[in-house]
Amino acid sequence: ILHVKPGHGGLEDVFEKIRAHFVTTGCPVMMGGDLDASSKGVFGTCKTSSGKYFLILDPHFVKTSAAELDLAMLVNAGWAKWVNLKDFSNSSFYNLCLPQVEI
């Protein structure tokens, strides 16, 4: 479990640890905070010239029909999205659970 304190640095300080976690285990990361209280599933990282991002999937999604899952619908409805680290609350702490598995 990584604990990220509120304030300067925040998620930027653990970005490379999360990135390395995906390379070594491939397991998603569970994420939650206090002021930013909605739980999140982190399924990837991306680093570009415009910033650092987490691929967030909302764990509260429930498939309500037998229809095939439509990725475009998940993205358009906000259930799956790339979130710039700067868009997370700087006033919230975050806990990130990095499951350890044997490969």
Side-chain angles (χ1 to χ4, degrees):
I1 296 180
L2 295 176
H3 178 70
V4 176
K5 295 179 181 179
H8 183 70
L11 293 170
E12 292 269 346
D13 292 343
V14 297
F15 181 82
E16 292 303 328
K17 288 182 184 178
I18 302 295
R19 189 177 187 130
H21 170 77
F22 287 120
V23 170
T24 58
T25 70
C27 290
V29 172
M30 285 79 59
M31 178 178 177
D34 61 342
L35 298 177
D36 179 2
S38 67
S39 54
K40 300 163 183 54
V42 182
F43 283 76
T45 62
C46 179
K47 186 176 179 179
T48 70
S49 60
S50 63
K52 296 176 183 173
Y53 300 82
F54 285 156
L55 176 58
I56 302 294
L57 299 179
D58 189 326
H60 302 98
F61 173 77
V62 176
K63 187 176 175 186
T64 57
S65 73
E68 189 171 320
L69 201 55
D70 179 11
L71 181 58
M73 182 280 302
L74 291 175
V75 171
N76 292 335
W79 294 106
K81 59 187 169 186
W82 286 102
V83 179
N84 191 311
L85 296 190
K86 293 177 182 176
D87 292 337
F88 288 96
S89 173
N90 201 30
S91 301
S92 181
F93 75 74
Y94 290 97
N95 288 319
L96 297 105
C97 179
L98 286 64
Q100 305 299 301
V101 296
E102 293 184 27
I103 297 179

